[in-house]
Amino acid sequence: MKLSLLLSTQLTQLAKEVIVLLQNHITSLGFTPVIHFELEGCYQNKHQFKGSTIDFALINLNLKKLRIDGEVIPEYWQQQWEYVSLFNGQTPLKEADNLTSTIYHLPKLFAQQGIEKTFIKPVVWAGDKGKLAIGCDNIFSGETRDVHIPNAIQMNVSVNNAKGENIIINHCFGEYLQQCFIETSLGCSLLYLPEEEAFERFALKSKYGLAAELCSPTDISGGHQGSIALYKEKGKHNQAMGEKPLLFDHNNDVLLSENQWHETARIEHRLGASSIYYNAYINIIYGLLNIIDALEPLKNNQCKSLLNASDVKVPLPESLMSKNDSIGAIELFEKEQWFATSINRVERLVNRSECKSESQNNNQLGDELKKMILAAYQTQALFLES
């Protein structure tokens, strides 16, 4: 595995410094950010499509020994898996550590069980076979064809107040936080789509006729079913959120339940591509900056007045690089000002002595971090394995 500058020690250390800065600022406002990742991937062994041979309990025991707050479970497609974060009260910085460590260790843990290849990449080409029956969501016809599996990294975001209560439900805060993510996602797409194959993932439905089989989002959209979804009473599939069983019958079927959706309300940013080049620390920063943007008007009861009624779906870049009239993700990030400016602004508000910076040469943290991110792409290191 080639190590790119995007995952360099120097960039990681700077990103950690920025995370601490932002966490301290949010704490000073009286709130606690809650961010969790989900990561999809696939594996391959000698007996492809013959069912799972993974001992997931053993994998999860080893993750626990590594002090990773997460578990791996089987996903929808054969030989597809998903890492899900556990709610252990970890800070956003620890959550970034968790995902980074998982991406590093999981291929080794799968290899211990005889798995030849572990894929942490945006698309696993011909990863499964099948075709859904007409009008069905989960029943396959007798016809088979290659299914190219899209794999995502999803970031789930909520915020607690000083009492430990989830404020996504309050004062239109959830709607405004969702709007913040929608407005910043295009210019910052480079952060969560770090390699060229990430953009091929968005074309799978139309290019290969897999619209019935695949449900991954392909644009920037809101609501409770979009790519930046706000889940309150209803989830992605219109299911009741936070449903907890209270009474069972003799067959263990639920007789009585209650919906505690206040606890599970959140924003789900569903556009990230599974990739060994995904920098969890930079994406945590992206999440924290949006939280800060939403918290400030909350203090002044302005969230509702700042909401717009737009429900426009915004197309994503088609590539890392600009082509003809299509601006690529790299150029979009070069031109956008919000990311670096927001970090610089918080830096001025927080006591710098708490961050103990020694390597910035009097440059502002936001400018320095953005410069280092863009420098990673100037090396062309990410294109070697695309």
Side-chain angles (χ1 to χ4, degrees):
M1 183 182 296
K2 300 177 179 69
L3 181 66
S4 80
L5 290 178
L6 194 58
L7 304 173
S8 69
T9 301
Q10 185 181 9
L11 177 55
T12 297
Q13 287 302 118
L14 179 59
K16 286 183 176 182
E17 180 179 346
V18 174
I19 291 174
V20 172
L21 175 84
L22 301 180
Q23 286 180 165
N24 288 346
H25 180 60
I26 294 172
T27 299
S28 72
L29 296 175
F31 299 95
T32 301
V34 182
I35 300 180
H36 294 270
F37 286 114
E38 297 176 20
L39 164 70
E40 294 174 336
C42 296
Y43 65 89
Q44 184 182 79
N45 57 19
K46 294 179 180 179
H47 307 289
Q48 194 173 14
F49 309 134
K50 296 299 183 181
S52 174
T53 59
I54 299 295
D55 184 345
F56 285 100
L58 179 58
I59 293 284
N60 294 328
L61 177 62
N62 286 322
L63 291 179
K64 186 175 182 179
K65 290 178 180 178
L66 292 166
R67 299 185 179 181
I68 294 173
D69 303 287
E71 294 181 343
V72 179
I73 59 176
E75 245 294 1
Y76 180 78
W77 297 102
Q78 294 188 73
Q79 301 191 352
Q80 187 184 31
W81 50 266
E82 181 180 22
Y83 164 84
V84 292
S85 173
L86 295 175
F87 286 74
N88 287 343
Q90 62 267 32
T91 65
L93 178 56
K94 179 58 166 64
E95 183 65 5
D97 289 337
N98 288 337
L99 184 61
T100 302
S101 187
T102 297
I103 291 173
Y104 176 78
H105 286 287
L106 200 53
K108 298 180 180 181
L109 297 179
F110 278 128
Q112 290 173 6
Q113 299 194 26
I115 297 303
E116 295 178 321
K117 296 180 180 179
T118 298
F119 300 108
I120 302 176
K121 54 185 300 188
V123 181
V124 175
W125 300 99
D128 206 338
K129 292 183 178 293
K131 185 175 182 179
L132 284 176
I134 296 175
C136 297
D137 293 329
N138 55 10
I139 299 176
F140 285 83
S141 67
E143 182 180 352
T144 62
R145 60 173 174 175
D146 286 340
V147 176
H148 310 307
I149 301 175
N151 292 306
I153 292 181
Q154 177 173 296
M155 183 166 61
N156 303 328
V157 180
S158 59
V159 183
N160 293 338
N161 62 18
K163 297 180 181 179
E165 300 166 331
N166 185 356
I167 66 168
I168 290 290
I169 65 172
N170 297 338
H171 311 298
C172 293
F173 176 77
E175 288 78 1
Y176 187 64
L177 179 57
Q178 180 185 45
Q179 180 175 303
C180 290
F181 273 107
I182 290 174
E183 291 175 350
T184 59
S185 282
L186 182 60
C188 291
S189 56
L190 181 65
L191 306 183
Y192 55 85
L193 303 172
E195 61 173 295
E196 189 61 33
E197 195 175 57
F199 302 90
E200 297 180 44
R201 167 175 161 256
F202 295 126
L204 290 179
K205 292 182 189 178
S206 58
K207 191 173 181 179
Y208 298 96
L210 293 170
E213 287 78 16
L214 305 180
C215 61
S216 297
T218 57
D219 52 31
I220 300 171
S221 55
H224 72 284
Q225 294 179 312
S227 59
I228 302 172
L230 170 60
Y231 297 159
K232 295 175 78 172
E233 295 98 331
K234 293 183 178 180
K236 179 172 63 176
H237 303 292
N238 284 321
Q239 78 276 21
M241 291 290 290
E243 191 168 26
K244 291 188 176 182
L246 299 176
L247 183 64
F248 300 87
D249 65 12
H250 65 285
N251 292 319
N252 209 34
D253 294 324
V254 178
L255 296 176
L256 181 65
S257 63
E258 65 177 0
N259 293 333
Q260 297 183 2
W261 63 269
H262 289 199
E263 298 177 8
T264 58
R266 61 189 181 273
I267 301 293
E268 288 198 356
H269 192 280
R270 302 171 53 223
L271 289 168
S274 180
S275 173
I276 59 172
Y277 300 116
Y278 183 95
N279 190 305
Y281 301 98
I282 292 172
N283 281 275
I284 284 287
I285 290 170
Y286 172 68
L288 293 174
L289 289 175
N290 279 283
I291 288 173
I292 291 170
D293 278 359
L295 282 175
E296 292 175 350
L298 175 69
K299 287 282 196 177
N300 300 317
N301 295 318
Q302 294 178 325
C303 286
K304 187 173 183 179
S305 64
L306 293 173
L307 283 174
N308 61 52
S310 175
D311 193 27
V312 176
K313 294 183 177 181
V314 179
L316 286 152
E318 297 177 2
S319 172
L320 283 175
M321 309 298 295
S322 297
K323 300 176 181 178
N324 300 322
D325 295 331
S326 177
I327 301 178
I330 296 174
E331 184 177 351
L332 282 168
F333 188 62
E334 287 175 338
K335 291 182 175 180
E336 75 84 39
Q337 300 296 318
W338 169 82
F339 183 78
T341 300
S342 297
I343 296 172
N344 294 341
R345 185 174 61 84
V346 174
E347 183 184 13
R348 291 193 295 268
L349 295 174
V350 174
N351 186 343
R352 288 298 306 277
S353 64
E354 296 179 2
C355 298
K356 299 179 182 179
S357 176
E358 297 178 356
S359 60
Q360 300 313 305
N361 299 319
N362 297 320
N363 291 334
Q364 292 184 291
L365 284 174
D367 297 325
E368 188 70 14
L369 183 61
K370 182 173 180 177
K371 179 181 178 182
M372 292 180 68
I373 294 170
L374 289 170
Y377 290 89
Q378 294 170 0
T379 68
Q380 300 295 310
L382 290 182
F383 301 102
L384 295 177
E385 293 185 358
S386 295

